[in-house]
Each structure stands twice: as structure tokens, then as C-alpha cells.
């Protein structure tokens, strides 16, 4: 089966060694797996949230594009594009915005951090906060959902955004009654090293402790490596490799055998200065050939433009039809399709539209009583366990029609949904259930509970009239 893997790179900075080891290299590696359908893009609309410096945004887009291509990304095997070349993304953003709960966005970490800072400084809670920052998670959800990506490789700080994308997808599916979207999953690469920076903390622009990947050439690479903080042990003294940033960076570029040899040399008293030279040479052996390609690409930006536009065309071939379907689903439909007569534009009565899910009871061949739950579209969602007593089957019927989706105790066991009531397994779903089976079941239980409540209210009103 093809897994669609998608990730975005915010185009604000210059790629550094930490980006290469933590994101670029593993993503390119993953894209070579024949079972992976990789979508990688410059999140340049997201960049506008972080930077209002046009030249910086422009330069960063180019440098990041060149870096990924130079590091070996094959634009023919992958879909490599700029977010801003895919107008379906902002269009989808709006459709999603209209089902997104504002309360959820209030809880987004980046927004909350800004508010907390303001409150701490006794400013207005939203001082300096743009609506762009606030909407960041919805734009990111559109990035992912426009392609129905299955897996999204991200850093830990982005997990909440993936959860929000799932929430938004579920709400949309539920509101418009169909599985338009698959629910994406965050992919956290545990084995991939987070590279330490010059001062030993995680290499990050915000700590100002980065080692450049290509910019500045070998000279800048060497100069940065010489600035890596080490302890004060003198040449000849045994060095500790355990919490040495220098050693950790070496390990990220070297084979196990090279790493063991380097550790031996350090334990044997190799001077830090010499160790830095060894590290520089090892890193440059991998990065040097890429740097040549990088420089060639940066010298011909029009070539990158062609590659990116071809990527956008591939991306739009997928997002375009999906957004077309969604427009139709939400009611943004062509007026030409149906004759503009009064009947045609009069919406169908709501009662007729809202066909609820259905419960059916039946007697099995062995004489036991069972219950089935069907979705509104006829799909069988649950089959109950057999009951000897028809009253027990009746009680389950009653429970199913009132419990609602949120309260239902459902878990997935061996690929099947299992519903329990009072600690007893009472019904199971079909074997081939996918990720969307659970939200579908919950949605149906919700619809059923709503229909039951409506019916009860109507009966009560009727009884009231009679009295
Ligand atoms: N927010 C991500 C980051 O800062 C970048 C990003 C934008 C992204 N859209 C995305 C990542 C979609 C994954 C999927 O790292």
C-alpha cells in the first residue's frame, strides 16, 4: 500500500546542519522507499506569519529549495512544490475555517505563548498577535488535508497541529456527512538525532548556535565548527565523549566504525583542536559534493522555478479535484447544472434530508437474538453479540439509540471496533475497518441519539396538545 507522506518547511531561515540531519536527510531517505508517496513543500504562506521581510522570504525560499535538491531530493519521484503555487490550499483553508472551533485555536501553543507573554508584560492579551498566527493551525491542516496525507513527519513541537488537523478533518467529515478526509498521523522520527549546536543545546536559529549547511562555503563551515564549545581538558588528557556536542555531531555523519575510532582517539587524549579538524573533514566529505550542486542551483534560479512549477502542477492535479468535490459538498455549486426553476432552487425539506442511522433486530439461525446498526447510507457499522433473551437485545437497541457518539465506549481491537456497555462487549464492527471507522461510528451514534431525542420531543409535544 502507498503511504502518502507530506511535510512542509517554513521558508524563513537559512538551512543549517541541524535541519539537514534532523529533517532534510531523513525525508529524502524516506522518499526513496517505493511504498512512500512523498509530498514536500515550501510553507511560504506560513513564512509570512513569521516574517514581513520580503527579501528574506524570497531568499529563504530559494535557499531551501536549492538545499533539498542539492541534498538529493528527486523532483520526478516526489511532489516538490511551493505552498503559494497551489491556490487550492488557501481555498481549502477557508472551508476548514468555517468548521473549526475558535476555542480550539485559542488553545494552540504558539498563540497561547504569545498571549501569556503579553499578560506577563501587562499588555493587552492579543497585543501584536496577527490573525495569521491565530489561523496558523488551519492553514497547516489545509496543507495536509488537500492531499489526504497519511503520515506527517514533524518535530515534537508540531504534534498539536497534527491533532488539530485531525479534529478539523473529523468535523468537516461529520458536518458534511462523508469521509472526504483521511485522518493524518504525526510521524515522529525517534531514531533521528536532534543535533546539538555550538553551545550544546539543540541546534536552532533561536539559540543562535547553528552551523551553516551550505552558505558561506567550506570556510564558514570550518569556522563554525571551530567555535563548538568543549571542556578545558588539555591535549593528551582523556576526553569525555558522553556529553560532547562535537562527538555527537561527528556521530551523525560517520559510520559506526568511524565513530568508534573517533571515540578511541578522544579517550586517548586527542586535542580538541585536532578533533574539530577531523569533524570538519568528515562533515565536508558528505556536504562538499552537495554544496557544489547547491551553488550551481543558486546560480540558476530559473531552473528551480521550472522544477517548482512542475511540482505545483502535480500537486494541483490532486488538490484541484478534491476541492471541487468539497465545493459541491458545502453547496458552492454551479447554477448551470440544474434548471433555475423555483422547485430546483427550493431546498428539500430538512426532515427528508436528515435520514438517521438505523437499528435492526433479527433472530439468528441458532435461535439467538441480535442487533445490527446501519449508517444512514446503509453501511453496516456494528453487529451485536448473540443474546438468548430478546429483552437483552431490546435493551441494547435502546442503549444504542440514546448513548450518542461521545459517550460510547469503543476501542479498536485487532482491526475491529468493539463497543462495550457496562464493561461488557456488546457489539463489534466489521474486520476491514480503517482509521475513519471510529469517527463514522461516533457520528452515526450522535445522529441516532439526536433523532431519538427529536422523536421523544415530538411525542411529548403531541401528548401535551392532547391534554
Ligand atoms: N508548521 C511546520 C513547522 O513549523 C511547517 C508546516 C507548514 C508543515 N505546513 C505543514 C509541516 C504541513 C507539516 C505539514 O515546522
Amino acid at each position: 500500500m502507498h503511504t502518502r507522506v507530506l511535510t512542509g518547511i517554513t521558508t524563513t531561515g537559512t538551512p543549517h546542519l541541524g535541519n539537514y540531519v534532523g529533517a532534510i536527510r531523513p525525508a529524502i531517505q524516506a522518499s526513496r522507499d517505493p511504498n512512500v508517496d512523498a509530498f514536500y513543500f515550501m510553507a511560504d504562506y506560513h513564512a509570512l506569519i513569521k516574517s514581513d521581510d520580503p527579501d528574506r522570504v524570497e531568499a529563504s525560499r530559494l535557499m531551501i529549495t536549492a538545499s533539498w535538491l542539492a541534498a538529493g531530493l528527486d523532483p520526478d519521484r516526489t511532489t516538490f512544490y511551493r505552498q503559494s503555487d497551489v491556490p487550492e490550499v488557501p481555498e481549502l483553508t477557508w472551508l476548514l475555517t468555517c468548521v473549526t472551533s475558535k476555542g480550539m485555536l485559542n488553545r494552540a501553543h504558539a498563540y497561547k505563548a504569545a498571549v501569556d507573554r503579553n499578560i506577563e508584560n501587562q499588555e493587552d492579551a492579543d497585543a501584536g498577535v496577527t490573525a495569521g498566527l491565530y489561523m496558523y493551525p488551519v492553514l497547516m491542516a489545509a496543507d495536509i488535508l488537500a492531499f489526504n496525507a497519511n503520515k506527517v513527519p514533524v518535530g515534537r513541537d508540531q504534534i498539536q497541529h497534527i491533532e488539530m488537523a485531525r479534529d478539523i478533518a473529523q468535523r468537516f467529515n461529520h458536518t458534511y456527512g462523508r469521509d472526504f478526509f483521511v485522518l493524518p498521523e504525526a510521524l515522529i522520527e525517534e531514531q533521528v538525532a536532534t543535533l546539538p549546536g555550538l553551545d550544546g543545546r539543540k541546534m536552532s536559529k533561536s539559540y543562535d548556535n547553528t552551523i551553516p549547511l551550505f552558505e558561506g562555503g567550506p570556510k564558514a563551515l570550518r569556522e563554525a565548527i571551530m567555535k563548538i564549545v568543549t571542556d578545558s581538558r588539555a591535549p593528551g588528557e582523556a576526553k569525555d565523549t558522553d556529553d560532547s556536542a562535537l562527538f555527537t555531531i561527528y556521530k551523525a555523519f560517520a559510520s559506526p566504525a568511524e565513530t568508534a575510532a573517533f571515540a578511541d582517539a578522544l579517550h586517548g587524549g586527542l586535542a580538541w583542536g585536532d578533533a574539530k579538524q577531523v569533524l570538519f573533514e568528515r562533515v565536508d566529505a558528505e556536504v562538499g559534493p552537495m554544496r557544489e550542486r547547491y551553488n550551481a542551483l543558486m546560480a540558476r534560479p530559473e531552473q528551480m522555478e521550472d522544477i517548482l512549477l512542475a511540482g505545483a502542477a502535480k500537486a494541483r492535479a490532486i488538490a484541484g479535484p478534491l476541492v471541487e468535490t468539497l465545493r459541491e459538498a458545502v453547496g458552492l455549486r454551479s447554477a448551470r447544472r440544474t434548471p433555475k426553476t423555483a422547485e430546483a432552487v427550493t431546498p428539500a425539506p430538512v426532515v427528508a434530508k436528515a435520514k438517521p442511522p438505523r437499528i435492526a433486530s433479527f433472530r439468528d439461525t441458532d435461535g439467538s437474538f441480535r442487533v445490527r446498526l446501519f449508517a444512514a447510507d446503509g453501511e453496516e457499522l456494528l453487529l451485536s453479540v448473540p443474546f438468548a433473551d430478546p429483552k437483552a437485545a431490546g435493551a441494547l437497541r435502546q442503549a444504542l439509540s440514546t448513548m450518542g457518539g461521545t459517550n460510547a465506549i469503543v476501542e479498536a481491537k485487532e482491526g475491529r471496533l468493539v463497543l462495550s456497555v457496562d464493561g461488557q462487549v456488546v457489539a463489534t464492527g466489521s474486520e476491514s475497518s480503517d482509521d475513519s471507522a471510529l469517527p463514522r461510528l461516533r457520528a452515526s451514534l450522535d445522529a441516532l441519539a439526536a433523532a431519538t431525542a427529536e422523536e421523544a420531543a415530538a411525542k411529548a409535544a403531541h401528548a401535551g396538545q392532547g391534554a
Side-chain angles (χ1 to χ4, degrees), residues 1-6 30 33-39 148-152 185 187:
M1 202 189 86
H2 262 284
T3 305
R4 187 163 291 165
V5 174
L6 173 145
D33 179 337
N35 296 318
V36 164
D37 182 18
F39 282 61
N148 268 322
N150 309 103
K151 303 270 179 198
V152 185
E185 278 171 37
L187 193 69

mmCIF file of all heavy atoms in Angstrom, residues 1-6 30 33-39 148-152 185 187:
data_model
loop_
_atom_site.group_PDB
_atom_site.id
_atom_site.type_symbol
_atom_site.label_atom_id
_atom_site.label_comp_id
_atom_site.label_asym_id
_atom_site.label_seq_id
_atom_site.Cartn_x
_atom_site.Cartn_y
_atom_site.Cartn_z
ATOM 1 N N MET A 1 0.828 -1.203 0.000
ATOM 2 C CA MET A 1 0.000 0.000 0.000
ATOM 3 C C MET A 1 0.862 1.253 0.000
ATOM 4 O O MET A 1 1.905 1.297 0.610
ATOM 5 C CB MET A 1 -0.896 0.002 1.232
ATOM 6 C CG MET A 1 -2.107 0.878 1.072
ATOM 7 S SD MET A 1 -3.000 1.055 2.631
ATOM 8 C CE MET A 1 -2.162 2.411 3.397
ATOM 9 N N HIS A 2 0.409 2.260 -0.708
ATOM 10 C CA HIS A 2 1.134 3.516 -0.761
ATOM 11 C C HIS A 2 0.802 4.376 0.437
ATOM 12 O O HIS A 2 -0.345 4.618 0.728
ATOM 13 C CB HIS A 2 0.764 4.278 -2.022
ATOM 14 C CG HIS A 2 1.764 4.075 -3.104
ATOM 15 N ND1 HIS A 2 2.988 4.692 -3.094
ATOM 16 C CD2 HIS A 2 1.753 3.315 -4.208
ATOM 17 C CE1 HIS A 2 3.666 4.324 -4.164
ATOM 18 N NE2 HIS A 2 2.946 3.481 -4.850
ATOM 19 N N THR A 3 1.842 4.832 1.118
ATOM 20 C CA THR A 3 1.615 5.767 2.201
ATOM 21 C C THR A 3 1.972 7.142 1.695
ATOM 22 O O THR A 3 3.069 7.343 1.178
ATOM 23 C CB THR A 3 2.524 5.438 3.404
ATOM 24 O OG1 THR A 3 2.293 4.086 3.759
ATOM 25 C CG2 THR A 3 2.221 6.327 4.574
ATOM 26 N N ARG A 4 1.044 8.056 1.813
ATOM 27 C CA ARG A 4 1.371 9.415 1.401
ATOM 28 C C ARG A 4 1.966 10.163 2.593
ATOM 29 O O ARG A 4 1.319 10.323 3.619
ATOM 30 C CB ARG A 4 0.139 10.132 0.869
ATOM 31 C CG ARG A 4 0.513 11.481 0.291
ATOM 32 C CD ARG A 4 -0.564 12.035 -0.586
ATOM 33 N NE ARG A 4 -0.720 11.300 -1.817
ATOM 34 C CZ ARG A 4 -1.777 11.410 -2.616
ATOM 35 N NH1 ARG A 4 -2.755 12.222 -2.284
ATOM 36 N NH2 ARG A 4 -1.844 10.729 -3.728
ATOM 37 N N VAL A 5 3.213 10.565 2.419
ATOM 38 C CA VAL A 5 3.943 11.271 3.468
ATOM 39 C C VAL A 5 4.089 12.717 3.023
ATOM 40 O O VAL A 5 4.495 12.968 1.892
ATOM 41 C CB VAL A 5 5.330 10.629 3.664
ATOM 42 C CG1 VAL A 5 6.163 11.423 4.644
ATOM 43 C CG2 VAL A 5 5.191 9.184 4.135
ATOM 44 N N LEU A 6 3.729 13.644 3.892
ATOM 45 C CA LEU A 6 3.778 15.056 3.499
ATOM 46 C C LEU A 6 4.388 15.897 4.603
ATOM 47 O O LEU A 6 4.079 15.692 5.778
ATOM 48 C CB LEU A 6 2.355 15.532 3.199
ATOM 49 C CG LEU A 6 2.124 17.028 2.917
ATOM 50 C CD1 LEU A 6 1.029 17.201 1.872
ATOM 51 C CD2 LEU A 6 1.759 17.805 4.182
ATOM 52 N N ALA A 30 13.471 8.771 3.160
ATOM 53 C CA ALA A 30 12.116 8.202 3.154
ATOM 54 C C ALA A 30 11.507 8.251 1.757
ATOM 55 O O ALA A 30 10.801 7.329 1.338
ATOM 56 C CB ALA A 30 11.222 8.952 4.143
ATOM 57 N N ASP A 33 11.847 5.237 -0.591
ATOM 58 C CA ASP A 33 11.118 3.999 -0.337
ATOM 59 C C ASP A 33 10.003 3.881 -1.378
ATOM 60 O O ASP A 33 9.178 4.794 -1.511
ATOM 61 C CB ASP A 33 10.535 4.083 1.086
ATOM 62 C CG ASP A 33 9.733 2.855 1.466
ATOM 63 O OD1 ASP A 33 9.249 2.133 0.557
ATOM 64 O OD2 ASP A 33 9.588 2.622 2.674
ATOM 65 N N PRO A 34 9.974 2.786 -2.141
ATOM 66 C CA PRO A 34 8.961 2.669 -3.199
ATOM 67 C C PRO A 34 7.526 2.685 -2.675
ATOM 68 O O PRO A 34 6.595 2.942 -3.433
ATOM 69 C CB PRO A 34 9.284 1.332 -3.878
ATOM 70 C CG PRO A 34 10.260 0.635 -2.999
ATOM 71 C CD PRO A 34 10.917 1.647 -2.130
ATOM 72 N N ASN A 35 7.344 2.407 -1.384
ATOM 73 C CA ASN A 35 5.985 2.429 -0.837
ATOM 74 C C ASN A 35 5.550 3.806 -0.361
ATOM 75 O O ASN A 35 4.452 3.970 0.151
ATOM 76 C CB ASN A 35 5.867 1.441 0.326
ATOM 77 C CG ASN A 35 6.071 0.032 -0.138
ATOM 78 O OD1 ASN A 35 5.562 -0.359 -1.186
ATOM 79 N ND2 ASN A 35 6.865 -0.725 0.595
ATOM 80 N N VAL A 36 6.472 4.767 -0.480
ATOM 81 C CA VAL A 36 6.163 6.109 0.016
ATOM 82 C C VAL A 36 5.885 7.056 -1.148
ATOM 83 O O VAL A 36 6.611 7.075 -2.130
ATOM 84 C CB VAL A 36 7.324 6.633 0.893
ATOM 85 C CG1 VAL A 36 7.208 8.137 1.093
ATOM 86 C CG2 VAL A 36 7.333 5.927 2.241
ATOM 87 N N ASP A 37 4.824 7.803 -1.019
ATOM 88 C CA ASP A 37 4.457 8.822 -1.991
ATOM 89 C C ASP A 37 4.702 10.161 -1.288
ATOM 90 O O ASP A 37 3.892 10.600 -0.487
ATOM 91 C CB ASP A 37 2.965 8.623 -2.322
ATOM 92 C CG ASP A 37 2.470 9.586 -3.359
ATOM 93 O OD1 ASP A 37 3.305 10.184 -4.074
ATOM 94 O OD2 ASP A 37 1.240 9.740 -3.474
ATOM 95 N N ALA A 38 5.877 10.749 -1.551
ATOM 96 C CA ALA A 38 6.313 11.891 -0.748
ATOM 97 C C ALA A 38 5.871 13.233 -1.333
ATOM 98 O O ALA A 38 6.021 13.479 -2.527
ATOM 99 C CB ALA A 38 7.831 11.874 -0.596
ATOM 100 N N PHE A 39 5.328 14.087 -0.466
ATOM 101 C CA PHE A 39 4.960 15.463 -0.797
ATOM 102 C C PHE A 39 5.757 16.383 0.118
ATOM 103 O O PHE A 39 5.540 16.379 1.333
ATOM 104 C CB PHE A 39 3.463 15.693 -0.559
ATOM 105 C CG PHE A 39 2.592 15.152 -1.639
ATOM 106 C CD1 PHE A 39 2.580 13.802 -1.929
ATOM 107 C CD2 PHE A 39 1.773 16.007 -2.376
ATOM 108 C CE1 PHE A 39 1.777 13.300 -2.942
ATOM 109 C CE2 PHE A 39 0.967 15.512 -3.390
ATOM 110 C CZ PHE A 39 0.960 14.160 -3.672
ATOM 111 N N ASN A 148 -4.825 14.606 1.386
ATOM 112 C CA ASN A 148 -5.166 13.431 2.175
ATOM 113 C C ASN A 148 -3.924 12.631 2.558
ATOM 114 O O ASN A 148 -3.839 11.415 2.322
ATOM 115 C CB ASN A 148 -6.180 12.558 1.438
ATOM 116 C CG ASN A 148 -7.595 12.939 1.844
ATOM 117 O OD1 ASN A 148 -7.843 13.240 3.016
ATOM 118 N ND2 ASN A 148 -8.518 12.939 0.902
ATOM 119 N N ALA A 149 -2.961 13.345 3.137
ATOM 120 C CA ALA A 149 -1.718 12.695 3.552
ATOM 121 C C ALA A 149 -1.979 11.763 4.735
ATOM 122 O O ALA A 149 -2.782 12.066 5.608
ATOM 123 C CB ALA A 149 -0.685 13.744 3.948
ATOM 124 N N ASN A 150 -1.302 10.613 4.739
ATOM 125 C CA ASN A 150 -1.446 9.665 5.848
ATOM 126 C C ASN A 150 -0.495 9.984 6.994
ATOM 127 O O ASN A 150 -0.872 9.928 8.153
ATOM 128 C CB ASN A 150 -1.157 8.231 5.388
ATOM 129 C CG ASN A 150 -1.941 7.844 4.158
ATOM 130 O OD1 ASN A 150 -1.406 7.811 3.057
ATOM 131 N ND2 ASN A 150 -3.223 7.575 4.329
ATOM 132 N N LYS A 151 0.752 10.281 6.619
ATOM 133 C CA LYS A 151 1.778 10.479 7.655
ATOM 134 C C LYS A 151 2.428 11.844 7.468
ATOM 135 O O LYS A 151 2.748 12.229 6.347
ATOM 136 C CB LYS A 151 2.876 9.425 7.537
ATOM 137 C CG LYS A 151 2.361 8.004 7.619
ATOM 138 C CD LYS A 151 2.345 7.516 9.035
ATOM 139 C CE LYS A 151 1.804 6.111 9.082
ATOM 140 N NZ LYS A 151 1.355 5.701 10.391
ATOM 141 N N VAL A 152 2.631 12.521 8.579
ATOM 142 C CA VAL A 152 3.233 13.846 8.523
ATOM 143 C C VAL A 152 4.451 13.877 9.451
ATOM 144 O O VAL A 152 4.302 13.953 10.670
ATOM 145 C CB VAL A 152 2.211 14.924 8.947
ATOM 146 C CG1 VAL A 152 2.794 16.315 8.764
ATOM 147 C CG2 VAL A 152 0.922 14.787 8.143
ATOM 148 N N GLU A 185 -1.636 11.282 10.516
ATOM 149 C CA GLU A 185 -0.922 10.954 11.753
ATOM 150 C C GLU A 185 0.439 11.610 11.759
ATOM 151 O O GLU A 185 1.131 11.633 10.743
ATOM 152 C CB GLU A 185 -0.706 9.440 11.848
ATOM 153 C CG GLU A 185 -1.911 8.718 12.367
ATOM 154 C CD GLU A 185 -1.757 7.222 12.244
ATOM 155 O OE1 GLU A 185 -0.640 6.721 12.437
ATOM 156 O OE2 GLU A 185 -2.768 6.579 11.924
ATOM 157 N N LEU A 187 4.307 11.774 12.395
ATOM 158 C CA LEU A 187 5.371 10.777 12.350
ATOM 159 C C LEU A 187 6.573 11.404 13.050
ATOM 160 O O LEU A 187 7.161 12.358 12.550
ATOM 161 C CB LEU A 187 5.695 10.474 10.889
ATOM 162 C CG LEU A 187 6.554 9.261 10.607
ATOM 163 C CD1 LEU A 187 5.791 7.995 10.928
ATOM 164 C CD2 LEU A 187 6.949 9.243 9.142
#
